[in-house]
Amino acid sequence: MQFIQRWASELLSIMRIMAAGSFFTHGTMKLFSWPAPFEFPVNAMLYLAGVLEVFGGLLLIVGLFSRPVAFLLSGSMAVAYFMVHAPEGFFPVLNHGEAAMLYCFVFLYICAAGPGSLSIDAMREKSAPSTGAENA
């Protein structure tokens, strides 16, 4: 599998973009009823979740402030899972918490691994002047 290892950073970027794009639409449903209306009444907590999903999703799509944003979104999905889904039962497939659980761990991974090479963060890192301190 050496041939695919060369593309690890680009594939990480693609995973980040696809996960964030899907996550973004959860927020647009809550806030703008697009691409479809949200099926539950939007209270203050769901409104806050929608704001995080839209703005956090956009930042992750472009790969800006990826690590802190991914950490925040991972935490928000953990809260969503334990507050909404876990009380309905142990198994995510039965309590409808699969998406929240998967987003939580995908975003946690992005927080640890970084955004990949196709991101504004990577471009900013390349253009930042080297101080030499990282070699000390």
Side-chain angles (χ1 to χ4, degrees):
M1 298 299 288
Q2 289 286 79
F3 72 95
I4 202 157
Q5 199 169 4
R6 287 180 275 182
W7 298 99
S9 185
E10 289 81 5
L11 290 170
L12 172 57
S13 295
I14 292 167
M15 180 190 68
R16 182 198 80 241
I17 293 164
M18 297 305 293
S22 177
F23 193 69
F24 171 79
T25 61
H26 284 271
T28 60
M29 284 177 66
K30 289 177 184 87
L31 300 180
F32 310 118
S33 294
W34 181 87
F38 191 63
E39 59 184 293
F40 302 105
V42 177
N43 57 26
M45 194 149 198
L46 285 173
Y47 182 80
L48 176 60
V51 169
L52 287 172
E53 289 162 354
V54 168
F55 290 105
L58 284 173
L59 287 170
L60 281 185
I61 287 168
V62 299
L64 182 61
F65 309 120
S66 301
R67 288 179 192 261
V69 169
F71 184 76
L72 176 68
L73 297 182
S74 176
S76 75
M77 288 295 93
V79 168
Y81 183 81
F82 286 109
M83 286 186 69
V84 177
H85 302 288
E88 301 297 318
F90 179 74
F91 296 102
V93 70
L94 299 178
N95 68 23
H96 305 288
E98 286 176 298
M101 179 192 64
L102 287 171
Y103 281 127
C104 177
F105 284 100
V106 166
F107 294 149
L108 189 60
Y109 179 71
I110 292 167
C111 177
S117 58
L118 307 175
S119 66
I120 293 175
D121 288 341
M123 290 185 332
R124 291 172 65 208
E125 194 173 294
K126 281 182 187 175
S127 68
S130 176
T131 62
E134 59 272 358
N135 295 329

